[in-house]
Amino acid sequence: MSAPLITPYYIVYEEKIRRNLDLITRVAQASGAQIIMAFKANALWKTFPIFREYGVSATASSLNELRLANEELGRKVHTYCPAYTELTIGEYLAGSSHITFNSLSQAERFLPATIAAGVSAGLRVNPRCSVVETDLYNPALPGSRFGVAPEDMPALLPAGIEGLHFHALCEGSAADLAKVLAAFEAQFGHLLPSLKWVNMGGGHLMTRKDYDVDALIQLLRDFRARHPHLHVILEPGSAWTWQTGDLITEVVDVVENQGVKTAIIDASFACHMPDTLEMPYQPAIAEASEEGAWEYRLGGNSCLSGDFCGPWHFDAPLRAGQRLTLLDMNHYTTVKTHMFNGIQHPSIYLQPLEGDPILLRQFEYADYKNRMS
Ligand SMILES: Cc1ncc(COP(=O)(O)O)c(C=O)c1O
């Protein structure tokens, strides 16, 4: 038995990634839709050889994502970014097969260059259908900056637009998509006959246990039957790496104040699990127990007062040296981590199908220093 890995570290499991890839491949085959991966949720490029086996394509929303997809998935991407500039558009077009504009003014400005580059152009529309409860993650929030609203849509699309894109879901169900799709077709359906493709955005959490995968397949098949000339694209992010990795951390000290016990860990909610504070949500911990008599908050090893989460219950008191497994910390989390407070960044490991975990990345003082100058 090899020595325990040094905490904190993220570990992602090849077996769980393949399980998601198998399911998404099945949905794509059964529905006839193309399902591509949004890089904002997963950029662990050393795991991309696994994704390449399944022929995964990607969608990028920045030049860094586009370049990483070009280099590490070895193909051109679908691109959507809220605003392109004269300085960036050339590089976007060079690395993209499809590009979506967020507004009519952006389309007007960059359509000539897009057509000249032979890239398929699309327009993002806002179907004005809100199914996301958390404002921070709701692209259809009143006053949203995303997509052209139905009342602003000209009778004829700008010449050269070949597709429409909408994105209105976050961790959504097939029933959520059905609602948004109905709103989309009611308001923009008259434009579809002249188009080549529709991109239904992300937020399709088809790898979640309770997701009705058959309903999604049927919904997509029905849409394709109504519009047989359209190529249908979905670009989920979370679904690809949902429940494929954990953050392993160690208790460093336990403090108590006014009856509140806090176990200070060698990781940080603010730095290493930012969604727990932004959303906010309380992650599951493998070692916790709902009926446990011992109640603790966990506190990050930073100086931010709000860098804590909880409470959780445990069957026995927590002590320094105890390891805790914070579950489902791959999608978005590994991309959003940062080095605020100079806190030691977790290493990243891949647990292959067989054998010991493989170290993908260990962070050094130089990583912290080089970000600042
Ligand atoms: C335009 C667009 N496409 C796709 C996604 C991926 O969404 P999710 O990770 O919820 O599936 C997002 C997420 O913000 C997005 O903004």
Side-chain angles (χ1 to χ4, degrees), residues 6-228:
I6 294 171
T7 59
Y9 63 91
Y10 299 103
I11 183 156
V12 298
Y13 305 98
E14 180 175 353
E15 188 191 351
K16 295 179 180 186
I17 291 172
R18 286 188 185 276
R19 201 186 301 158
N20 287 353
L21 282 162
D22 287 339
L23 184 137
I24 294 172
T25 305
R26 177 166 79 77
V27 174
Q29 282 167 356
S31 68
Q34 183 186 11
I35 307 180
I36 62 181
M37 178 168 72
F39 259 50
K40 63 199 97 205
N42 176 30
L44 288 185
W45 55 270
K46 286 190 182 169
T47 65
F48 285 2
I50 305 170
F51 291 79
R52 284 177 81 138
E53 280 180 37
Y54 293 75
V56 173
S57 297
T59 178
S61 45
S62 64
L63 284 178
N64 284 334
E65 287 185 355
L66 172 132
R67 191 169 157 191
L68 191 64
N70 289 171
E71 285 177 8
E72 299 299 334
L73 284 178
R75 43 177 80 208
K76 291 199 170 186
V77 294
H78 293 236
T79 296
Y80 162 76
C81 165
Y84 308 97
T85 68
E86 271 74 13
L87 265 185
T88 59
I89 190 71
E91 203 177 332
Y92 274 114
L93 292 174
S96 304
S97 60
H98 297 64
I99 190 164
T100 294
F101 299 109
N102 184 55
S103 66
L104 288 164
S105 54
Q106 281 268 302
E108 215 170 280
R109 205 161 131 195
F110 296 119
L111 261 170
T114 304
I115 294 164
V119 175
S120 185
L123 190 63
R124 180 163 173 174
V125 294
N126 190 322
R128 283 274 163 78
C129 178
S130 229
V131 290
V132 179
E133 275 168 22
T134 306
D135 284 356
L136 185 65
Y137 297 112
N138 184 3
L141 204 61
S144 163
R145 68 187 186 285
F146 297 131
V148 183
E151 67 272 18
D152 296 326
M153 207 64 178
L156 279 181
L157 283 167
I161 291 291
E162 298 185 336
L164 289 186
H165 176 296
F166 66 84
H167 168 71
L169 302 179
C170 176
E171 298 191 0
S173 63
D176 291 332
L177 176 61
K179 276 186 214 155
V180 174
L181 200 51
F184 168 72
E185 283 189 271
Q187 297 168 99
F188 302 100
H190 61 288
L191 300 167
L192 298 182
S194 65
L195 296 175
K196 291 185 178 165
W197 53 267
V198 164
N199 184 326
M200 300 185 185
H204 316 278
L205 197 45
M206 58 193 85
T207 47
R208 183 164 62 191
K209 255 203 193 91
D210 62 353
Y211 191 100
D212 190 343
V213 172
D214 292 335
L216 173 65
I217 292 170
Q218 196 55 49
L219 195 63
L220 295 171
R221 288 174 70 103
D222 291 347
F223 180 84
R224 290 187 58 241
R226 287 195 295 284
H227 311 284

